[in-house]
Amino acid sequence: MPIDGLLVATRFGLYADLAALAGLPLFWWSMRKGTGAEARGILAVLAFGGIAFSALWLLASAAAMAGTSLFASDWSVVDILLRETMIGPLLGVRAVALLLILVLLLVSRRADGPPVTIALLATVAAATLAWSGHAGATEGVAGTVHRAADVLHILAASAWVGALLALLTRIFCSASDVQETEQTALMLHRFSLFGTLFVITLIVSGAINSVMIVGFANLPLLLHSLYGWLLLAKIALFGGMLILAAANRWRLTPALTRAANSGDLAPAQARLRMSLTFETIMALGILALVAALGTLDPLGG
């Protein structure tokens, strides 16, 4: 089965946007950090982006079904998707969550308050992605288990992506500030504790998803399908992220702490900056692969 590039592109944009929207406030909340004006502006852009990418994904899905272009949509197909499939309800829930985030960002007077409510609404918006792929098509009790595992997978991945974006921003913005660098090192240390839970959740939920999608007996057949090869690429990137995360935890973060104490920040910051950059690139690569995997028949060749 060929990959529909337009559909994959809209899915990737949607996944990346909602992962950042859910992950950033979760990270700030876990670090007991407030949301200043700049952070709130970023969240507002991401919430608008979630609405826009959702609309584009709907149109791209309709175009893929009807065999038309994105800008010449068959509106009867759009109507069918909204009325007769789970796409309508999930887009409704997502839209409500994203609009509430925008309202909270506009009317809240606590500009530096903890983003707990925003984090909860953003996780709801991200969780709706579980109904837009293979998990959404699974029925009965198996479907409930599959979607629960997918929701956990999505939220753990979002938390990791949000942490990477926040930490990468901090390491770039604290180039010559010793106190900021010490705080960054402390945040990296704290995140490593959460990161262990994220990794366990991703491995367990990912294994459940794979078995639910193809069946345990059919797992060897994945080696003969495009889906299987892309899944292996995803696992390889995940393994690369684990290696970099371990290096950050056990080598680069302690080195950054020592550098902050000695005042020689540049070398340690450069190494950590490069590691976080590559880890973020790998995370985006995984999101792109997930966007493609959701459009393919796992055993379709």
Side-chain angles (χ1 to χ4, degrees):
M1 178 186 294
I3 293 178
D4 187 322
L6 178 61
L7 182 57
V8 170
T10 57
R11 285 169 62 89
F12 170 70
L14 181 60
Y15 287 7
D17 183 279
L18 293 183
L21 179 61
L24 284 170
L26 279 173
F27 178 78
W28 294 328
W29 172 72
S30 68
M31 295 294 131
R32 300 179 179 86
K33 306 290 286 186
T35 52
E38 183 178 352
R40 291 161 66 83
I42 292 172
L43 294 177
V45 170
L46 290 171
F48 274 118
I51 294 171
F53 277 118
S54 293
L56 287 173
W57 170 69
L58 172 63
L59 294 178
S61 298
M65 289 182 62
T68 61
S69 71
L70 179 68
F71 302 104
S73 300
D74 185 335
W75 293 104
S76 64
V77 177
V78 174
D79 183 67
I80 291 172
L81 289 176
L82 290 175
R83 290 176 177 271
E84 300 181 19
T85 72
M86 280 299 299
I87 288 179
L90 77 85
L91 285 180
V93 171
R94 186 185 301 160
V96 170
L98 294 175
L99 288 172
L100 285 175
I101 290 173
L102 289 172
V103 170
L104 286 174
L105 291 172
L106 288 172
V107 304
S108 176
R109 296 179 181 179
R110 297 180 62 198
D112 295 316
V116 179
T117 306
I118 291 175
L120 290 174
L121 289 170
T123 56
V124 169
T128 60
L129 294 171
W131 280 262
S132 64
H134 292 105
T138 310
E139 299 178 350
V141 176
T144 301
V145 173
H146 192 176
R147 284 184 287 275
D150 210 21
V151 167
L152 291 175
H153 200 76
I154 290 167
L155 297 184
S158 297
W160 197 343
V161 169
L164 284 174
L165 294 175
L167 291 169
L168 193 59
T169 300
R170 283 193 64 89
I171 199 67
F172 270 102
C173 294
S174 60
S176 59
D177 191 310
V178 173
Q179 185 176 4
E180 285 290 321
T181 300
E182 290 175 343
Q183 291 180 3
T184 300
L186 179 60
M187 292 171 71
L188 282 160
H189 177 70
R190 287 178 179 173
F191 171 68
S192 67
L193 303 177
F194 291 100
T196 302
L197 296 177
F198 298 154
V199 169
I200 294 172
T201 301
L202 288 168
I203 291 174
V204 174
S205 59
I208 293 173
N209 285 342
S210 297
V211 172
M212 286 290 182
I213 290 172
V214 301
F216 187 79
N218 292 327
L219 287 176
L221 299 178
L222 289 176
L223 295 176
H224 306 287
S225 70
L226 176 59
Y227 183 98
W229 285 106
L230 293 182
L231 181 60
L232 287 175
K234 175 190 172 185
I235 294 172
L237 286 177
F238 179 67
M241 290 183 67
L242 290 180
I243 292 172
L244 290 175
N248 294 343
R249 171 66 180 90
W250 300 110
R251 295 189 61 182
L252 300 184
T253 298
L256 185 67
T257 302
R258 292 192 297 271
N261 292 332
S262 66
D264 185 18
L265 297 176
Q269 285 185 327
R271 288 191 291 272
L272 185 58
R273 189 181 299 124
M274 180 178 295
S275 178
L276 289 173
T277 298
F278 278 115
E279 192 175 344
T280 303
I281 291 172
M282 288 182 178
L284 293 176
I286 288 176
L287 291 179
L289 288 170
V290 170
L293 287 167
T295 69
L296 297 174
D297 179 356
L299 304 176

